[in-house]
Amino acid sequence: MGKVNKTIVSSLAIAGVGGLCYAWLNFRKVKIPTYVTVVENFDTQQYMGKWYEIARLDFKFEKNLSQVTATYFLNIKGVIEVHNRGFDYKENKWTEAHGKATFNGEEGKGALKVSFFGPFYSGYNIVMMEPDYETALVFGESRDYMWILSRKKTISEEIKQKYLNYAEEKGYDISQLIWTIQS
């Protein structure tokens, strides 16, 4: 192989590795939508534990699920682990997904990114939360993802309306919410 061909092959190999690195970094990057303001003074420890899904905008990984819960805990390495669980009423079986979450920016703000599939992350933005960490409103990385979560299987009508009004103000189609059955 001539000197020119070796140079071209070397340049292409370097460009390929650079492209892979660029793609890897972009898979890990999650943009926070401009209309999202996350909670400040977010306390990771207080957020840990079990949450019941009260409502969601449905998507393929939660289709046909009832009794949905999400449990967050810090493992010994300090990584937030996420265990989601729900009952698929069409298949008549429990389903689980395990992932991890990290801060999407600075600690102390309710902007997280969650991964259930290797290097692929999704936005998890806590936009409203009661001071006692009993209920939370979470927006994803687009208006296609939204959750209302609670430490209990139900929430008050007052909190529900507050969260729905806020979501609607931010452009979410709240008529599309699935109200999770928690039996």
Side-chain angles (χ1 to χ4, degrees), residues 43-58:
D43 185 333
T44 308
Q45 287 290 4
Q46 276 194 275
Y47 200 76
M48 297 300 103
K50 187 175 190 174
W51 291 87
Y52 293 93
E53 181 185 86
I54 302 301
R56 70 174 177 270
L57 287 176
D58 215 14

Side-chain angles (χ1 to χ4, degrees), residues 68-131:
V68 178
T69 60
T71 304
Y72 301 86
F73 63 92
L74 287 172
N75 67 21
I76 58 172
K77 294 180 182 177
V79 174
I80 301 169
E81 289 197 32
V82 184
H83 292 185
N84 288 350
R85 187 171 195 254
F87 186 75
D88 186 325
Y89 53 83
K90 290 218 174 171
E91 298 288 326
N92 198 34
K93 67 176 184 177
W94 288 96
T95 181
E96 291 189 19
H98 299 261
K100 62 183 176 180
T102 60
F103 282 97
N104 191 21
E106 63 186 85
E107 287 190 35
K109 292 191 176 194
L112 301 171
K113 55 186 181 179
V114 178
S115 175
F116 290 95
F117 308 104
F120 304 99
Y121 284 83
S122 295
Y124 184 95
N125 302 295
I126 304 154
V127 297
M128 292 186 90
M129 187 165 46
E130 299 315 297

Side-chain angles (χ1 to χ4, degrees), residues 52-55 148-150 152-155 178-180:
Y52 293 93
E53 181 185 86
I54 302 301
I148 297 175
L149 305 174
S150 176
K152 299 176 182 161
K153 294 181 180 183
T154 61
I155 62 172
I178 303 294
W179 294 92
T180 309

